[in-house]
Amino acid sequence: MTFGPSSLVPIKKNMHRRRFLKTGLASVAVGGLLRGVPLVAAPPTKDMTVTKIDRVTVKVPFRPAPDRNMAREIPHWKYSEICTVHLQSGHQGHGETLLYYTWGVTSDEDVKNALGKNAAAIMWDDSLGAGLQMALFDAVARACDVPIHSLLGHQVHERTPLSWWNIDTYPEDMAAECKLAYSQGYMAYKTKGRPWFDIYDQMDLATKEVPPEFKIDMDFNDTLLNAELAMPIVKALAEYPQTDIYESPIPQRDIPGNQAIRKATRVKIAMHYGTPPPKIAICKGVCDGFVIGRGASALLASANVAAVADMPFWLQLVGTGITAAFSLHFGGVTSHSTWPAVNCHQLYTHQLLKEPITLQDGTAAVPTKPGLGYDIDWEAVERFRVDKPAARPDPPRLVEVSWPDGKKMYFNHLGGVNFVLVPCGKPDVIPFYVRGVKTRLLSDDGSAEFQDLYERSRKGPLTI
């Protein structure tokens, strides 16, 4: 279902808020927005001094259905880094960086620069990276005995919507995942629209498993190429009542094309905030809402612009349950985060939390306990602990795409991240959204045939 401000649970204006600053911190101003800029004015306080920072790398397995599909292009999403900040007060805070898909990775230099600093004074610094910034917020909030959202601004929602996420999947897997999501209280599913899968077969099977009010959002990552090519597809998919949002159907900088698509369909259009510049996106009417993420300062500044423009958005902070818990706090203080958030924690066999995030009618409760509001399951962290890779893991992979007319194409992992997506985002590389197209990941069976295909596809997509 689509969530608007009236469908979420608002906070009463006169609701009592806990006094969050304890001894020595009465004059600290944290949270709130003044014209979109977070306020931070923390005096030197030894209790808030960062004395130590630990980092642990984990490799969390995917569940079977995501594993079959993530294995093609992004198996490296299994790797996360858990960051723990220790304060002089004795409090600890925890955060997470999805190492190979994030807006910012915490470096050794970032850790060095944070040591000895007042945590409240540096927590708004997005340059510190996802895991360290998250851990700083958690530590400060725990020290102040308040949930993180009290540091971010005024709470406007008690519950916030979440979406179940998967990369493009085999049609049978998409149907099973939608059914599972619905059984667990989700009312939205987000996936990828790709020309190497039969999107009509995907939707036919998936919509049989969920009611019309369950919504399916499809991210095309520009692969519909232009408005003329996109029109038949966006109109056909709109015939399914579950279809709710298209993300980036064509390049976001194509203003006339996106305007035309938006006018041609009842389905809402979402764009990543920033391209085209927000003023143009808003004034030219190229989208119905935004995808907003990144660090705390950038996120809240973007959310404030969306609120002024009265445009909805979904939060996109990706990782295990640790990151999803952090995202819930932003959902609590941003008035227009009324589209279901994308956190991707459903991919994994374990959320890394002692108690998992649960949903009811498509929404999760904004935490009320101090800090993240969730405790880390350290037994699970230790179980999944690995040495940090020296570089992005890139196991040999070969993807085969085939069409009903017998044509086949092979894509080699040596093409880099998104080695199938990147070339297919260009015209005339691959047949355009043909019904009956099939895709599979080939295993290296040691045969001469596999080795021949692997070698011949090293330099780019191989057509046979």
Side-chain angles (χ1 to χ4, degrees), residues 33 35-37 152 156 273 278 282 290-293 295-315 330-331 333-338:
L33 292 176
R35 296 181 183 178
V37 181
L152 301 176
V156 293
Y273 185 94
I282 294 165
F290 296 110
V291 180
I292 292 179
S297 293
L299 189 160
L300 289 180
S302 302
N304 190 56
V305 173
V308 171
D310 194 24
M311 293 179 69
F313 62 90
W314 72 63
L315 291 161
F330 289 95
V333 300
T334 49
S335 61
H336 283 61
S337 57
T338 53

Side-chain angles (χ1 to χ4, degrees), residues 259-274:
Q259 288 174 324
I261 291 173
R262 187 177 176 222
K263 291 178 181 178
T265 176
R266 64 160 185 86
V267 179
K268 297 179 284 294
I269 306 299
M271 288 188 176
H272 280 268
Y273 185 94

